[in-house]
Amino acid sequence: MNFWSWFWLLVWTFFFVAYLIMLFHIFSDLFRDRELGGLGKVAWVVALLVVPLLSALVYLVVRGRGMAERQMERTVGREKARQQAVGGLAVGDTWSPTDELTQAKSLFDNGALTPEEYSQIKARALS
């Protein structure tokens, strides 16, 4: 195999992997979209299977902005859920060792923390 054969193999492999990643994003967006009906999803899947490159490009042009907005909504939703699950433990600069001990004590009193976990948090906060 000479240099140019290797080079073009590398280029086409890059484009093929990029295409597969694009298809993965399209399919995940397609099946997570709650506003698009079942018939619309079937039509897009058939189009992606029959004329893959053209329909993928059309999908990105037609639904690309909505794709980005839906991804942003999912990201914000996950962040809000994480903040609720943490219960304010990661608020940033205003968090003090006293706040951490108070939160850990309430979790310990509720049974969410074992005595070992509470003592570890207490030792870390006091150090």
Side-chain angles (χ1 to χ4, degrees):
M1 194 179 241
N2 64 17
F3 172 76
W4 290 109
S5 296
W6 177 255
F7 174 77
W8 286 112
L9 176 67
L10 187 66
V11 168
W12 286 113
T13 302
F14 171 79
F15 283 117
F16 181 70
V17 170
Y19 172 72
L20 289 178
I21 291 171
M22 181 178 65
L23 274 183
F24 177 76
H25 282 287
I26 289 172
F27 276 111
S28 66
D29 178 67
L30 187 61
F31 288 111
R32 288 180 181 164
D33 187 8
R34 293 183 177 138
E35 296 176 8
L36 186 64
L39 191 59
K41 291 179 183 183
V42 168
W44 276 112
V45 168
V46 168
L48 285 166
L49 293 177
V50 173
V51 190
L53 185 61
L54 180 65
S55 58
L57 293 174
V58 169
Y59 186 91
L60 291 177
V61 169
V62 173
R63 297 180 49 94
R65 179 168 297 191
M67 231 173 129
E69 291 169 356
R70 285 186 293 276
Q71 180 64 33
M72 184 62 80
E73 288 172 7
R74 282 192 297 272
T75 303
V76 168
R78 280 193 302 256
E79 180 63 26
K80 285 181 182 177
R82 188 189 65 78
Q83 286 291 337
Q84 284 181 339
V86 170
L89 286 176
V91 270
D93 298 339
T94 62
W95 196 251
S96 68
T98 306
D99 295 332
E100 187 174 358
L101 283 174
T102 305
Q103 184 71 29
K105 179 64 175 159
S106 68
L107 289 172
F108 177 68
D109 292 340
N110 291 335
L113 290 178
T114 64
E116 295 81 23
E117 292 170 331
Y118 176 69
S119 62
Q120 288 174 354
I121 293 172
K122 186 177 175 182
R124 186 181 69 229
L126 295 176
S127 64

